[in-house]
């Protein structure tokens, strides 16, 4: 009997979400001209090319003409890709350190998620936040292709504050359990 009530509540939550998604899709479909970047992207892909933004990032990566172990380039160029930025400015060592930091953040959040599943199956908020933050940290791999999410942008402050709050709350929860 309890299962039916939960199913009914979940369906009640699912219906408004589906309605918003359907409405959003219809709005975007009928007003694609208002979404210039999306429209240019699909037009250029349909013509067999790539959009201007992607072309800019590719040309920035192609401008890297010297790769050293420690970085320190002769001239400064703008690179919006985090991997290319660290490779150019900090060398192979900087790129490996960046990849190590991103990998460490992902593994740390994954272990916190697994620990939340094992210890507190009744604490659904902790499990949901652990899943959300694991996915948030996993997105660093893809976001780093177009910007540098861990430094230099407004989103980096949000990321580090949320990471600190999340890891602090996980530490307190683990102390309460043991």
């Amino acid at each position: 009997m309890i299962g039916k009530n939960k199913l009914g509540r979940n369906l009640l939550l699912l219906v408004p979400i589906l309605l918003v998604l359907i409405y959003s899709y219809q709005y975007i479909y009928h007003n694609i001209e208002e979404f210039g970047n999306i429209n240019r992207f699909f037009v250029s892909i349909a013509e067999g090319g790539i959009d201007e933004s992607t072309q800019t990032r590719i040309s920035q990566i192609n401008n890297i003409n010297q790769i050293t172990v420690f970085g320190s380039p002769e001239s400064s160029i703008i690179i919006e890709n985090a991997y290319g930025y660290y490779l150019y400015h900090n060398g192979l060592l900087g790129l490996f350190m960046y990849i190590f930091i991103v990998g460490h953040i992902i593994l740390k959040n994954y272990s916190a998620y697994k620990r939340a599943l094992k210890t507190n199956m009744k604490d659904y908020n902790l499990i949901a936040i652990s899943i959300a933050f694991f996915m948030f940290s996993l997105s660093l791999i893809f976001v780093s292709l177009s910007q540098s999410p861990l430094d230099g942008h407004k989103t980096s402050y949000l990321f580090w504050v949320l990471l600190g709050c999340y890891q602090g709350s996980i530490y307190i929860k683990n102390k309460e359990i043991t």
Side-chain angles (χ1 to χ4, degrees), residues 71-156:
S72 68
E74 294 174 8
S75 63
S76 182
I77 60 174
I78 296 172
I79 301 173
E80 296 174 6
N81 177 318
Y83 304 116
Y85 177 84
Y86 284 105
L87 180 63
Y88 183 71
H89 290 284
N90 302 318
L92 290 172
L93 186 63
L95 177 64
F96 290 136
M97 286 300 294
Y98 181 76
I99 292 170
F100 174 77
I101 289 170
V102 169
H104 179 72
I105 290 170
I106 291 170
L107 291 175
K108 189 83 170 158
N109 288 324
Y110 180 72
S111 67
Y113 159 68
K114 292 301 266 182
R115 200 172 327 115
L117 282 178
K118 287 180 183 176
T119 57
N120 264 346
M121 286 303 287
K122 299 294 183 204
D123 193 354
Y124 296 115
N125 290 334
L126 178 64
I127 294 171
I129 290 172
S130 296
I131 291 170
F133 212 87
F134 171 65
M135 296 308 288
F136 184 45
S137 62
L138 195 62
S139 72
L140 288 175
I141 296 169
F142 304 107
V143 173
S144 293
L145 292 171
S146 64
Q147 66 174 332
S148 185
L150 298 184
D151 62 340
H153 293 294
K154 294 175 185 168
T155 57
S156 66

Side-chain angles (χ1 to χ4, degrees), residues 6-19:
K6 283 188 178 183
L7 179 64
R9 279 190 301 226
N10 289 340
L11 286 176
L12 279 175
L13 289 174
L14 185 64
V15 169
I17 292 170
L18 284 175
L19 288 174

